[in-house]
Every structure is written in structure tokens, then in C-alpha cells.
Amino acid sequence: MHELSIMEGVMNMVRESAQQNGIMKVNKLKLVIGRLTMVLPDSLQFCFQVLSQDDLFRNAVLEVEPREVIMRCMECETQFAREDPYCYICPGCGANQVEIVQGRELFLDYYEGE
Ligand SMILES: [Zn+2]
């Protein structure tokens, strides 16, 4: 499962950073997920629950911020949001030469601990 390996990767990163900074308990972590990654926030939450049984992550809260897909037309430079991430046509001029400005990101925004 896609989400499980992502969550594992993120938690390993936090675990390593917590160790370096003397953090014994993580209270909160926040992930930013673009819609083009096809990662489902609910699945991430589920995987987090399964994986967060150790002392470091117990009681930690996972926050997921989904980012809409935003594209820009290379002909007329209109920027537009897309409900359907596979529809690459400019609503301004009908061109299909568009670039993706936002929606591919997947990163740990921050984590808090003590
Ligand atoms: Zn256009």
C-alpha cells in the first residue's frame, strides 16, 4: 500500500530528527499532500494509527493539509484550479499546453514534540 510506505518514511524521518534533538514525545505532525500524488488523507490517518504505537508517537496527532491542483496555461498564462487532475485544457483559450504549478507536493511541514 502506497500510503503505508509514505507514512513509514515520514515517521522514520521524524524519529531520526527527534533523536538528534532530544525529543522524547511527538505531539503533532503535519503533512502537506498535493492531490496529484493520489495519496488519500484517510488512508494516511489509518496507517498513522497503526504505526504510532511506540512511546515516541503515542498520542501524537497527524494533521494532513491537502493542496488543490493548480495549472498554468503556457499560451495565455491563465492560472486555474482543476477538480479533475487529468483534464489539461485551459479554460481561457482552450490550449492544452499547461504546466502544473501546485499539486505534486508531498512533504512534512513540521512536527512538534517535547
Ligand atoms: Zn490559455
Side-chain angles (χ1 to χ4, degrees):
M1 198 157 100
H2 194 44
E3 282 82 359
L4 188 62
S5 57
I6 289 169
M7 205 60 238
E8 255 172 353
V10 167
M11 288 168 79
N12 284 338
M13 210 162 75
V14 171
R15 192 172 279 125
E16 215 169 275
S17 161
Q19 239 161 33
Q20 282 166 5
N21 293 291
I23 288 166
M24 308 300 286
K25 212 172 106 43
V26 171
N27 296 326
K28 185 177 173 183
L29 52 165
K30 183 178 164 191
L31 289 179
V32 173
I33 312 265
R35 284 184 54 186
L36 278 178
T37 60
M38 297 291 136
V39 172
L40 300 172
D42 285 353
S43 305
L44 273 185
Q45 291 288 359
F46 175 75
C47 296
F48 182 65
Q49 293 310 319
V50 172
L51 294 169
S52 62
Q53 301 301 318
D54 61 350
D55 288 343
L56 183 64
F57 288 105
R58 198 174 297 132
N59 301 321
V61 175
L62 172 66
E63 192 187 316
V64 178
E65 181 191 316
R67 288 252 169 106
E68 292 304 308
V69 178
I70 294 180
M71 296 178 189
R72 179 170 49 221
C73 176
M74 288 160 84
E75 294 290 331
C76 70
E77 310 225 319
T78 301
Q79 278 203 22
F80 52 98
R82 266 286 171 242
E83 283 293 306
D84 174 1
Y86 294 108
C87 182
Y88 295 109
I89 294 174
C90 172
C93 70
N96 62 2
Q97 293 290 316
V98 299
E99 58 181 346
I100 292 159
V101 179
Q102 178 185 289
R104 277 205 190 109
E105 50 279 89
L106 198 175
F107 61 89
L108 176 71
D109 192 12
Y110 65 85
Y111 76 95
E112 294 169 0
E114 55 197 70

